[in-house]
Amino acid sequence: MATHVIADDAEALTVAASLAEEFRTDASARDAERRLPRAELDRLSASGLLAVTVPAEHGGADISAETLAEIFRLLAAADASLAQIPQSHFAYVNVIRRQGTDEQQKFFFAELLSGARFGNAQSEAGTKHVQDIRTRLQRRPDGSYDLTGVKHYSTGTLFAHWIPVLARTDDDALQVAYVPRDAPGLSVVDDWDGMGQRTTASGTVHLEAVRVPADRVLPHHLTFQGPQLHGAVAQLLHAAIDTGIAAGALTEASHFVRTKSRPWFESGAETAAEDPLLIQRFGELAIRVRAAQALLGDAGRAVDASHAALTDDSAAEASIAVAAAKVLAAQTAVEVADALFEVSGTRSALNSLNLHRYWRDARTHTLHDPIRWKIQHIGRYTLNNTRPPRHGLL
């Protein structure tokens, strides 16, 4: 496909805002009909947005984390499913930036600048916990690998050109194998049945002795052996999606109340938008959304500051800033999506209006990882100066 190369942060934000408006138009219909956004993802690839974190020396814009978070916030406010699909894409671009050899970087960054999309095959169901990875890479006599396992919640994989797969070698070291979508032995099943994020196609990936060349395997375990921002960037994008959902729900509620809701008879108001109790509630919700957006920006700047001078202390500060943003964003997304019905009234509950998609998306996406543990790490850091762990989810 013909792919534009974005020049800088300002252009990236302009392109994202334009695409968000375009994607908003049919977002509700796509969700209601579970119509997968293949054409929209092609537009996203062609726009150049998926290559904006490619380093400048390889021809990319190398935008800031703060800008990347804002891109995701804009997209999620329009269509939370569509915004979720490339979240892991950027996480695995970061793996290449940190652990790729010169040749691996040259190859994959060229792929990205040509519009390639990365999927996600990391989580497994039925294991002891989320980091109990049982998919295996077994070395062959010629130095290549056989990749075998089953992955679930594989967001973006159905639409991907390359699928990064988390797996362990015989020494139990964690690796990422970058596998072409059409590799023999690899199959993707569109069996995602979530109540929210309905069009992410977060289904199942089956890997049956998939042959992987040695130069397509990166040592992900090394990512966590020193100060790192892998988890902070990944979680920053999750926070941006939740913040976008909250903003989208608030905008939808405002429009509904202004155009469709009736005032409560006791208010004495001519329109619902003049009801003083509704005005009060909208003020409260707006403060929550603004606070979430402010913490998101603060977290993005903390990640950028740490990237410029990466140390154990700066990485810890970035992780805690992101954790704080993620906690408030998750709480705000669920609260505002729920309050949409509270302020809009009975008519808003009509299934045909599909306003519940905001709550379904918020409730589903915020289950990705528990904010209660983030609050624990924030408390430990604040009270005892205990740095958060390096496990990729902070």
Side-chain angles (χ1 to χ4, degrees):
M1 70 181 72
T3 304
H4 176 67
V5 177
I6 288 174
D8 53 30
D9 291 56
E11 184 184 5
L13 289 172
T14 298
V15 171
S18 176
L19 283 178
E21 286 305 308
E22 179 182 325
F23 296 157
R24 178 177 286 108
T25 302
D26 293 324
S28 179
R30 281 193 299 273
D31 173 88
E33 301 164 14
R34 198 176 179 269
R35 191 169 74 231
L36 301 181
R38 297 179 185 275
E40 289 76 13
L41 283 169
D42 285 343
R43 288 278 294 120
L44 196 60
S45 287
S47 75
L49 277 181
L50 297 183
V52 290
T53 59
V54 170
E57 59 266 31
H58 288 273
D62 202 5
I63 66 169
S64 69
E66 182 181 7
T67 297
L68 185 62
E70 179 62 9
I71 289 170
F72 271 77
R73 190 193 70 80
L74 289 167
L75 293 174
D79 184 337
S81 286
L82 190 51
Q84 176 63 32
I85 290 170
Q87 189 273 337
S88 289
H89 168 96
F90 285 98
Y92 287 105
V93 173
N94 279 348
V95 174
I96 295 169
R97 290 187 60 144
R98 186 171 173 94
Q99 301 301 341
T101 64
D102 289 344
E103 285 303 310
Q104 287 170 331
Q105 290 182 355
K106 181 179 179 181
F107 174 80
F108 280 113
F109 291 151
E111 287 281 290
L112 292 166
L113 290 169
S114 298
R117 294 190 291 268
F118 289 163
N120 146 39
Q122 53 189 20
S123 294
E124 299 178 11
T127 57
K128 184 175 181 180
H129 51 68
V130 71
Q131 293 199 330
D132 181 14
I133 302 297
R134 301 184 184 181
T135 298
R136 285 292 186 250
L137 277 165
Q138 288 193 309
R139 178 82 73 168
R140 297 174 56 86
D142 64 1
S144 66
Y145 293 90
D146 280 338
L147 177 63
T148 301
V150 180
K151 297 291 188 176
H152 298 82
Y153 310 116
S154 302
T155 301
T157 296
L158 196 66
F159 318 107
H161 302 100
W162 290 89
I163 302 174
V165 182
L166 276 187
R168 296 190 186 276
T169 41
D170 289 340
D171 59 359
D172 212 38
L174 190 64
Q175 315 285 346
V176 179
Y178 288 74
V179 183
R181 170 66 176 82
D182 58 356
L186 185 154
S187 60
V188 181
V189 182
D190 179 21
D191 56 0
W192 173 238
D193 190 33
M195 67 174 180
Q197 303 290 86
R198 294 187 64 204
T199 60
T200 60
S202 301
T204 303
V205 175
H206 295 271
L207 304 148
E208 299 288 345
V210 177
R211 184 75 59 86
V212 183
D215 63 356
R216 294 294 178 261
V217 177
L218 278 69
H220 195 31
H221 59 100
L222 298 180
T223 299
F224 308 104
Q225 292 186 7
Q228 51 83 30
L229 296 169
H230 179 81
V233 172
Q235 288 290 304
L236 179 70
L237 302 186
H238 283 303
I241 292 167
D242 291 339
T243 304
I245 293 171
L250 184 61
T251 298
E252 191 81 64
S254 299
H255 176 73
F256 195 95
V257 169
R258 286 195 304 267
T259 60
K260 296 181 176 65
S261 295
R262 296 182 297 178
W264 184 243
F265 70 95
E266 292 179 283
S267 71
E270 287 297 315
T271 67
E274 297 171 301
D275 183 329
L277 297 184
L278 280 180
I279 290 171
Q280 175 74 18
R281 187 64 176 128
F282 269 96
E284 294 167 349
L285 297 173
I287 290 168
R288 294 281 285 175
V289 172
R290 284 174 175 263
Q293 291 175 176
L295 276 188
L296 182 68
D298 178 70
R301 289 186 291 275
V303 171
D304 289 327
S306 180
H307 179 73
L310 185 60
T311 65
D312 284 328
D313 287 338
S314 72
E317 181 59 33
S319 289
I320 292 300
V322 171
K326 178 67 161 57
V327 168
L328 186 61
Q331 293 171 338
T332 302
V334 173
E335 177 186 353
V336 177
D338 179 72
L340 188 161
F341 301 97
E342 170 199 339
V343 297
S344 298
T346 305
R347 186 180 176 189
S348 64
L350 292 176
N351 193 58
S352 58
L353 296 177
N354 199 27
L355 295 180
H356 45 70
R357 71 185 185 278
Y358 294 99
W359 185 88
R360 289 187 287 101
D361 285 342
R363 186 64 280 174
T364 301
H365 183 257
T366 55
L367 297 176
H368 181 273
D369 54 282
I371 61 173
R372 59 186 177 272
W373 276 99
K374 288 177 169 51
I375 296 170
Q376 280 283 313
H377 293 305
I378 293 167
R380 291 168 184 169
Y381 183 77
T382 302
L383 184 59
N384 298 315
N385 201 30
T386 303
R387 294 187 189 121
R390 296 171 179 157
H391 55 40
L393 289 171
L394 275 169

